Amino acid sequence: KGMPIVTNKTGIGYVDYVLWGKDGNLLAVVEAKRTLADARKGRHQAVLYADCLEAMHSQRPVIFYTNGFETHIWDDTFYTDREIHGFYTQDELQLLVDRRATRKDLRNYKVNTAIAGRDYQIEAIQRIAENLVVDGKDGSLRGAKRESLLIMATGSGKTRTAAAIVDMLTKCNWAKRVLFLADRNALVTQAKNAFKEHVKDLSSIDLTKEIEDSSTRLVFSTYPTILNKIDKVKSADQRFYGVGHFDLIIIDEAHRSVYQKYKAIFDYFDALLIGLTATPKKEIDRNTYGLFGIEDDNPTFAYELNTAVEQGYLVPPKSISVPL
């Protein structure tokens, strides 16, 4: 009840679908259009329903609008709407709603210098925080960008920086489960060991070697392994991982081949994306910037080899000519 009289003379509206939590509280509203119609046609109607349901149940539902082919999610208390691969599970939606009260401002977080204590590492983490969050018009906390790209020279501590970012996002209640992707098994193992050392309190698993029960906080995997997990149906017609299972995906060595071959992974999961690469700005393929939705040559943060050498953190390479 409570629909605008302009829209509905009786003031009564009929919602297509309402998704409820285990506690009987309202989680989401779904506006479903015919497959021939544009899904966005349902956007305004869905907001009207959400307004009425919020007045009735004292909780703002997450909004979905779809035509069966395209599905959009809109948690209008925090983010703008975006297209996603499918619907969140009940638990994933509950977490989304709970975060409205528990999420903290990343910009106020004091970086754990025991994990990443160098000036440039701290700056990288702060840049990520500024990229992810913004002040709303009413002074409330709002989500800004969902993709970030860090360019850091090899040996400057990319993995440590990533571990400190995970530490920040988990402690500020932005991320519960994290997926770390690398293109070789050795890099997956290396990353898992480093994270184990720096963020000890989070359970972790190497998906290429161990069996996952879907409750692990840190999942390390190669691209083909996670793709198999997405493609295989677990049981009762459900996938092993839901669309909203991971809150954050970290992509190690984010470069062109990743984008071309494995874009399906990033299309499927509705997660924050952070890319790590050592490739100097000018040589990065344009697709990398496209994947992170940023302008060419304008990463979230860059710390390149020449700067690292100048500051004494790295030594320049020496070239040796070898007769053939």
Side-chain angles (χ1 to χ4, degrees), residues 111-286:
V111 176
N112 184 345
T113 50
I115 303 174
R118 292 177 178 176
D119 291 350
Y120 64 85
Q121 293 170 339
I122 293 167
E123 191 188 338
I125 297 157
Q126 286 167 342
R127 289 277 181 89
I128 294 277
E130 288 160 11
N131 193 45
L132 295 178
V133 69
V134 73
D135 292 318
K137 286 178 185 171
D138 57 355
S140 64
L141 209 59
R142 306 289 289 203
K145 293 181 179 169
R146 290 176 60 82
E147 297 90 11
S148 309
L149 178 62
L150 293 183
I151 294 177
M152 294 176 77
T154 304
S156 61
K158 285 200 302 289
T159 312
R160 267 178 175 266
T161 308
I165 290 166
V166 168
D167 184 62
M168 169 177 75
L169 290 171
T170 50
K171 284 180 178 163
C172 292
N173 294 319
W174 278 63
K176 183 180 178 183
R177 289 182 287 257
V178 179
L179 173 64
F180 187 101
L181 292 172
D183 54 4
R184 294 199 306 282
N185 286 22
L187 292 175
V188 170
T189 309
Q190 200 179 320
K192 182 178 178 248
N193 292 339
F195 269 76
K196 217 172 179 178
E197 189 188 327
H198 301 308
V199 278
K200 299 180 179 75
D201 52 339
L202 299 180
S203 56
S204 62
I205 194 169
D206 180 345
L207 216 51
T208 61
K209 296 174 185 164
E210 301 161 88
I211 294 169
E212 155 76 317
D213 64 359
S214 84
S215 64
T216 316
R217 301 284 302 274
L218 296 175
V219 175
F220 296 84
S221 174
T222 56
Y223 298 97
T225 307
I226 197 74
L227 215 46
N228 279 342
K229 276 279 186 237
I230 293 170
D231 287 343
K232 279 182 186 166
V233 170
K234 185 187 173 189
S235 61
D237 210 25
Q238 280 189 336
R239 290 175 192 263
F240 191 86
Y241 287 129
V243 169
H245 186 82
F246 294 108
D247 302 299
L248 169 68
I249 298 177
I250 297 174
I251 308 161
D252 193 23
E253 295 306 333
H255 45 65
R256 181 183 171 197
S257 62
V258 167
Y259 181 88
Q260 288 180 325
K261 268 190 190 163
Y262 303 115
K263 191 169 175 287
I265 298 168
F266 316 121
D267 288 344
Y268 177 73
F269 289 117
D270 182 44
L272 298 172
L273 276 187
I274 295 179
L276 311 170
T277 183
T279 319
K281 288 193 283 194
K282 299 291 180 206
E283 292 163 34
I284 283 194
D285 188 275
R286 284 167 189 269

